[in-house]
Amino acid sequence: MSRSRVWHPFTQHAIEPPIPSIVSTDGAWLQTNDGRRILDAISSWWVVTHGHRQPRIMEAIRIATGMLDQVIFAGLTHQPAEQLASALIEMVPPGLDWVFYSDSGSTSVEVALKMALGYFRNIGAPRSRIIAMEHSYHGDTIGTMSVGARGVFNAAYEPLLFEVDTIPFPAAGREQETLDRFETLSLDRRAAALIIEPLVLGAGGMLMYPAWVLAELKRIAEASGTLLIADEVMTGWGRTGTIFACEQASISPDILCTSKGLTGGAVPLAATLASDAIFQAHYCVDRKKTFFHSSSYTANPIACAAALANVEVWRCEPVAERIAALSARQAAGLQRFQNNPFFTESRANGTILALDLRTGSAGYLAEIGPKLRAFFLERGMLVRPLGNVLYLLPPYCITGDELDGLYDAIEEAGECFGSRS
Ligand SMILES: *Cc1c(COP(=O)(O)O)cnc(C)c1O
């Protein structure tokens, strides 16, 4: 076989072990071309919600391909996009009345930032400053890197990134510092929007903060007229226990980004939902106020059909019960690690469990990361630590036994690689 010419994402090919080739997927499992089965404990980078190849979603894709493929979405529309928009508006927190489609989480965030700046320009009160939270992640494009944490991931591109204001992560006991800092920044007349990952900061290390902080951030934003952008690309579709994380704080953001679980993880699609005020600021006979954005594959009909089927799954199957059961198991799993000397900061939110391995080196480039990944892969488990942060973010179909196997393996990893407190 000739050498692969594929350049993989976030992969240092000089040290990467041989890359398994996956031939099929089913539920929580991946099957390799050499007959191994791998338990997907991270939902293939957080996209798969119910399980791989969810039957209703796959069937909807098959049916859609009998009718439609990509159709230009400027000046034309189609039923899958129309139906999905109505369904989404019913599922997100109230007050989000307009749906703008794109094709990835990063793009949905770029769209959100552009909507925010467009809003202020069009209402004649230009504001352009974005406020972001320390340790946050919003994507890998130039704009989304700009509003995300700076570090080894984006050091080379730093000269291209725009400046933002940051608020500290609301660590336990220090939440007021975050709120005070935001209050100060939001009073600056240039403050356009605060962008946040509600309740759980994913790529920044599965950092979690309580719903009341989110509610306070919303209150402060509203008082100062700063828009609130909720990046629910990872947290959406049940990950934190509710369909969207914002529900837990009973808040409505001005703009909400969703992607990953939008199609259940089957095909790429994203949506940015906006309040009527933001739409109305762009609604004008003056063509200069148009929202100038498009992706070639905006509202791909096959992807919209997959997302509609995902909504059907939520409506017709006991998804909430599955999530509750998985969340209860993860909470019990958490108990198991709370007194384990090799781990610290064990935490859980909904279906997500995370813990930090005590080790000499921390941070994303910690040597331990690749070693842990290999350790789990040898045991037929796909676990991809963020440096020394181990987490399980499984598809909702995972069984109790499968989870127990993962907890056992984590315990073993602690003994192999951890240092005692
Ligand atoms: C994954 C992620 C993104 C980027 O989504 P892509 O589809 O990879 O572009 C943005 N925000 C959050 C919170 C994410 O987890």
Side-chain angles (χ1 to χ4, degrees):
M1 203 172 87
S2 63
R3 193 165 150 254
S4 170
R5 294 287 164 183
V6 178
W7 194 342
H8 287 259
F10 273 81
T11 299
Q12 179 42 270
H13 283 274
I15 51 172
E16 182 73 11
I19 297 181
S21 180
I22 303 302
V23 290
S24 67
T25 60
D26 186 24
W29 292 88
L30 314 175
Q31 173 91 40
T32 67
N33 63 351
D34 55 3
R36 280 181 297 152
R37 264 160 48 92
I38 301 172
L39 180 60
D40 186 353
I42 58 164
S43 298
S44 278
W45 252 348
W46 321 344
V47 300
V48 174
T49 47
H50 315 290
H52 284 276
R53 283 194 308 112
Q54 208 287 338
R56 275 178 209 265
I57 298 172
M58 291 297 150
E59 180 63 13
I61 291 172
R62 266 191 293 276
I63 294 169
T65 59
M67 308 267 290
L68 284 162
D69 63 352
Q70 182 64 33
V71 177
I72 179 176
F73 207 61
L76 294 176
T77 194
H78 47 74
Q79 210 182 18
E82 295 293 335
Q83 284 181 343
L84 178 60
S86 305
L88 287 178
I89 287 166
E90 270 177 42
M91 293 181 91
V92 296
L96 294 161
D97 297 324
W98 296 90
V99 179
F100 192 95
Y101 290 112
S102 59
D103 46 22
S104 74
S106 303
T107 317
S108 73
V109 172
E110 297 276 359
V111 165
L113 298 172
K114 287 175 69 171
M115 281 178 175
L117 266 68
Y119 167 78
F120 285 110
R121 184 187 174 92
N122 289 352
I123 64 170
R127 301 190 190 188
S128 59
R129 198 82 184 165
I130 302 293
I131 305 169
M133 187 181 279
E134 181 193 16
H135 301 307
S136 53
Y137 175 82
H138 299 289
D140 287 329
T141 57
I142 299 294
T144 58
M145 281 192 295
S146 298
V147 296
R150 306 295 163 94
V152 65
F153 308 107
N154 43 43
Y157 328 114
E158 180 84 37
L160 296 183
L161 306 187
F162 57 79
E163 260 181 60
V164 298
D165 288 318
T166 53
I167 57 174
F169 174 76
R174 301 179 58 185
E175 296 90 349
Q176 198 56 44
E177 281 175 44
T178 301
L179 300 175
D180 291 346
R181 179 81 184 129
F182 178 47
E183 187 138 43
T184 306
L185 291 171
S186 72
L187 293 174
D188 183 329
R189 298 305 299 169
R190 294 169 305 165
L194 168 70
I195 180 164
I196 39 155
E197 293 165 87
L199 304 188
V200 185
L201 278 62
M206 293 296 159
L207 302 174
M208 301 174 184
Y209 63 92
W212 69 265
V213 176
L214 183 55
E216 280 298 289
L217 290 171
K218 165 70 188 182
R219 186 187 60 73
I220 296 166
E222 206 162 7
S224 65
T226 307
L227 299 176
L228 180 66
I229 302 172
D231 175 355
E232 293 242 20
V233 170
M234 187 279 279
T235 50
W237 302 100
R239 278 295 162 204
T240 68
T242 44
I243 302 186
F244 290 98
C246 284
E247 289 168 43
Q248 293 181 43
S250 304
I251 62 147
S252 294
D254 299 285
I255 303 177
L256 182 146
C257 306
T258 178
S259 184
K260 293 190 171 126
L262 173 56
T263 62
V267 287
L269 183 67
T272 307
L273 287 94
S275 68
D276 191 49
I278 291 169
F279 177 83
Q280 294 305 336
H282 291 84
Y283 185 83
C284 181
V285 291
D286 179 357
R287 290 177 63 203
K288 287 197 294 295
K289 293 190 173 181
T290 304
F291 185 54
F292 293 111
H293 193 92
S294 168
S295 303
S296 301
Y297 286 98
T298 299
N300 178 268
I302 299 166
C304 288
L308 266 174
N310 173 42
V311 170
E312 273 305 295
V313 173
W314 275 88
R315 285 188 180 145
C316 304
E317 297 188 19
V319 179
E321 285 82 349
R322 281 178 208 148
I323 288 173
L326 170 55
S327 302
R329 289 205 166 100
Q330 292 282 55
L334 178 67
Q335 296 288 317
R336 197 171 149 170
F337 293 105
Q338 258 159 357
N339 295 316
N340 185 312
F342 299 109
F343 295 99
T344 176
E345 306 294 327
S346 44
R347 53 202 182 270
N349 188 318
T351 70
I352 308 168
L353 172 72
L355 56 177
D356 296 6
L357 179 69
R358 287 185 199 273
T359 154
S361 58
Y364 182 84
L365 287 190
E367 287 295 315
I368 197 71
K371 283 187 194 157
L372 285 168
R373 191 149 59 87
F375 171 91
F376 287 102
L377 201 55
E378 275 164 31
R379 285 156 183 77
M381 297 163 180
L382 179 63
V383 175
R384 212 185 146 91
L386 297 155
N388 68 318
V389 178
L390 275 164
Y391 70 89
L392 301 177
L393 193 152
Y396 308 150
C397 65
I398 195 165
T399 68
D401 286 348
E402 288 161 352
L403 277 171
D404 286 339
L406 287 163
Y407 301 147
D408 290 345
I410 291 176
E411 239 169 49
E412 202 189 327
E415 283 158 22
C416 285
F417 301 107
S419 36
R420 279 173 192 276
S421 53

